[in-house]
Amino acid sequence: MNIGNATVETACKPLSIEAAGHTLTLLPAGAYHACFTASVDSIGFAFDAQAGRHAIGSDKNEAYYRLPNSLALTPCGCDIRSASDSGGEYLLVSGPAIRAPKARYQTNIQIAGAVAIASCLRKWLLGDRHQDPLSYEMLIDRLGDTVSDLPPASKAARWMTMKRFRQVSDLIDENIAGDLTVAALAREIGVSSSFLSRAFTAYCGQTPYDFIL
């Protein structure tokens, strides 16, 4: 993979091709362990929900949850360590058409148009790989365009860091057998229930209510 000095261990061998000056890699569903420093900006597309632990740009190992049909942006130079016992199918696209806005790692980005693009690239990787370079270039450019004008994150979205998300999810785990409410979680954290709901949803794509269920 054209993402630096990568170490990626998976149960099944990834599919990888070079097309239109870009590297496309389809990682299979299953357990994995990855450790690398990105040498170019890249977009990842999660076809399935994923959960595990990762350290992104730091030494702190945190739990993560990846929404199905969501994008992740990894900027050049970002250190990645990630592992899961049951990772889902994942498409990684890297090359000059991909630009990570503001050069920061972002995940759980849901953009409707990205699903069709990623699904078509997946189909080509699994079957007819011998598309002409122009066809690959068109889809890769469109995928890059989906994230080129992301709106600025809201105050609630910026507030919900990995550390705070873990704090909330730990509180949920500790109180799941009791009379758990979003209002009680918000009081424990020190914010309003509406703010917590907005921040939680922006971070993982689910409301606290849906997450608890």
Side-chain angles (χ1 to χ4, degrees):
M1 289 180 286
N2 189 26
I3 50 177
N5 297 320
T7 299
V8 181
E9 299 175 0
T10 61
C12 300
K13 185 178 180 181
L15 298 173
S16 186
I17 64 169
E18 299 292 325
H22 293 72
T23 301
L24 288 76
T25 302
L26 184 65
L27 298 166
Y32 76 88
H33 179 272
C35 181
F36 63 90
T37 299
S39 63
V40 292
D41 289 356
S42 65
I43 288 180
F45 185 88
F47 292 97
D48 309 310
Q50 299 185 30
R53 301 190 68 82
H54 66 193
I56 308 297
S58 74
D59 293 329
K60 188 156 189 179
N61 196 24
E62 299 277 0
Y64 80 82
Y65 177 76
R66 187 82 72 250
L67 291 170
N69 295 327
S70 67
L71 293 164
L73 285 171
T74 303
C76 176
C78 186
D79 294 325
I80 302 290
R81 287 187 291 119
S82 181
S84 174
D85 292 333
S86 57
E89 199 171 32
Y90 195 80
L91 175 68
L92 186 66
V93 181
S94 58
I98 308 303
R99 294 287 183 269
K102 300 182 180 179
R104 65 184 179 89
Y105 179 81
Q106 299 178 69
T107 189
N108 284 334
I109 303 166
Q110 292 191 298
I111 301 173
V115 177
I117 299 169
S119 296
C120 187
L121 291 172
R122 174 186 179 273
K123 179 181 177 181
W124 290 351
L125 278 164
L126 291 173
D128 183 10
R129 300 186 185 188
H130 304 294
Q131 302 293 324
D132 61 273
L134 189 62
S135 296
Y136 277 109
E137 183 180 53
M138 179 185 68
L139 286 189
I140 293 168
D141 284 347
R142 285 174 56 195
L143 187 63
D145 287 344
T146 63
V147 295
S148 62
D149 295 316
L150 288 175
S154 66
K155 180 180 178 181
R158 295 193 304 271
W159 178 87
M160 183 60 85
T161 61
M162 283 189 287
K163 180 179 180 180
R164 285 175 173 152
F165 180 79
R166 185 177 181 184
Q167 182 184 5
V168 175
S169 60
D170 285 347
L171 284 170
I172 291 172
D173 287 341
E174 292 167 7
N175 297 280
I176 197 69
D179 297 326
L180 184 61
T181 65
V182 175
L185 286 173
R187 285 195 299 271
E188 187 71 24
I189 299 295
V191 297
S192 69
S193 57
S194 61
F195 183 87
L196 178 61
S197 293
R198 293 196 304 274
F200 196 97
T201 303
Y203 185 85
C204 75
Q206 287 183 297
T207 66
Y209 176 79
D210 289 334
F211 185 87
I212 291 167
L213 290 180

